[in-house]
Amino acid sequence: MAKKTRVLIVDDSASVRQTLTAVLESDPDIEVIGAASDPFMAAKKMQEDVPDVITLDVEMPRMDGITFLRKIMSQHPIPVVMCSSLTEAGSETLLQALEAGAVDVILKPRIGAADHLAEAGQRICQVVKSAAQARVTGIRSSRRAVASAPTAKLTADAVLPPPSGKAMARTTEMVVCVGASTGGTEALRKMLEKLPANSPGIVIVQHMPEKFTAAFARRLNTICDVEIKEAQDGDPVLRGHVLIAPGDKHMLLERQGARYYVSVRNGPLVSRHRPSVDVLFRSAARSAGSNAMGVIMTGMGDDGARGMLEMHQAGAFTIAQDEASSIVFGMPKEAIAHGGVDRVVPLDQLAREILAEDRRR
């Protein structure tokens, strides 16, 4: 039997600790080994029993979460998932946490909102199990990923029909479609920083809660030559511009004549995610065909694997991040296994591949 993911919860709210414990322990592959109200209590518990993953609040008495995160990363690196309320200010702080070494971000579960809790619980459990597989500086987990399926997993059929199978003629303009999850925030930064201002238009799905995608896009826009923003419904896909799917919304690539634009929609979780990489990739196969390029990056699970195969079958050029440079080699591995990947390259060569393909067009 696979070993359970052992979690320590650190949050100053007793109600949040209780709710988060209930959410996590609803998954048979997760065990909550303790809960602490502040980093000092957490440190004592960690001396007695080292968890596989820590969920960490941002604002706490005596020591804030970011300071404690930096101490963990410098002294005894353990996968950390930041837990925060849904605020714009909190989003900016959480980006600092991701840069400091946090693996991912979850929203605090809304107490008393049963419908929300059921859906949010899926993401929380998935993120925590993904974190347990993450390569964190100083440690390397040997645990094998557990494929737990407590609820039915919808495919992109729930949002749009499959491609027609008719290959679209290649034009001079290329659209790059990117999917990423665990570890993707830093991986995307490293890739986008290398792209010049005249790069082809790029659309990205990064698994992230709502609000955080806007802050993430703003942060990237300050450090990259390309223009980066959170996508809004109807935004055109333009050379030198990058659109990031808003959290909790699906993003589709659409075409009107020679013009590409994005459609931002509500809809069910697809591959247990919203936004879903499979939805974006399928829409690219339908609307762009061989004019598209697909890039799948670090992340746990199989979101994007089926969509990338559909892009490949529609004539798109597809690449995957390699195992050595991935925080979690789940999504790229599944895309490769499905047969939809043309080339596997390390993170530091992804930008070069995009520009090389652009020149070939």
Side-chain angles (χ1 to χ4, degrees), residues 268-284:
L269 299 177
V270 171
S271 299
R272 300 203 180 94
H273 293 285
R274 186 177 55 239
S276 164
V277 183
D278 269 330
V279 169
L280 174 63
F281 283 1
R282 171 172 286 188
S283 70

Side-chain angles (χ1 to χ4, degrees), residues 42-275:
K44 286 182 181 180
K45 288 182 180 291
M46 289 166 63
Q47 289 174 357
E48 300 167 2
D49 196 359
V50 179
D52 298 316
V53 179
I54 297 171
T55 66
L56 182 59
D57 189 12
V58 176
E59 296 184 5
M60 290 176 291
R62 300 205 285 172
M63 183 187 293
D64 68 89
I66 303 292
T67 301
F68 186 48
L69 169 67
R70 290 183 176 132
K71 288 182 179 292
I72 293 170
M73 290 300 139
S74 64
Q75 296 173 11
H76 190 112
I78 293 172
V80 174
V81 174
M82 302 304 294
C83 187
S84 175
S85 301
L86 186 61
T87 65
E88 293 286 356
S91 300
E92 298 291 346
T93 303
L94 285 166
L95 290 177
Q96 296 175 26
L98 291 166
E99 292 170 358
V103 173
D104 213 328
V105 173
I106 56 174
L107 292 178
K108 289 187 179 183
R110 269 187 251 151
I111 300 161
D115 292 344
H116 165 81
L117 200 57
E119 191 174 272
Q122 293 184 44
R123 171 171 167 79
I124 289 169
C125 293
Q126 181 72 14
V127 166
V128 166
K129 289 191 289 186
S130 297
Q133 316 304 320
R135 303 176 189 219
V136 182
T137 304
I139 64 171
R140 197 176 282 259
S141 172
S142 61
R143 179 184 292 110
R144 301 181 72 176
V146 179
S148 175
T151 55
K153 184 165 69 170
L154 300 179
T155 69
D157 289 344
V159 177
L160 74 167
S164 64
K166 298 178 181 177
M168 184 176 292
R170 180 171 293 182
T171 65
T172 55
E173 282 300 315
M174 180 177 76
V175 179
V176 182
C177 301
V178 182
S181 188
T182 311
T185 53
E186 282 299 285
L188 284 167
R189 178 186 63 79
K190 291 176 181 177
M191 180 184 79
L192 294 173
E193 278 185 319
K194 294 186 175 183
L195 292 174
N198 65 341
S199 297
I202 299 175
V203 288
I204 296 173
V205 164
Q206 162 70 47
H207 294 155
M208 233 177 177
E210 55 182 315
K211 298 285 186 183
F212 301 125
T213 43
F216 179 50
R218 287 195 298 270
R219 175 67 64 89
L220 288 176
N221 193 51
T222 64
I223 59 178
C224 298
D225 290 335
V226 287
E227 294 288 328
I228 303 171
K229 69 183 290 284
E230 182 185 63
Q232 294 179 301
D233 189 49
D235 276 346
V237 180
L238 304 171
R239 181 166 285 273
H241 289 69
V242 177
L243 298 174
I244 297 178
D248 204 36
K249 301 283 187 182
H250 289 304
M251 181 173 72
L252 288 72
L253 182 68
E254 308 274 12
R255 180 172 183 163
Q256 186 175 36
R259 170 180 170 265
Y260 290 105
Y261 64 98
V262 295
S263 172
V264 175
R265 300 185 190 175
N266 293 312
L269 299 177
V270 171
S271 299
R272 300 203 180 94
H273 293 285
R274 186 177 55 239

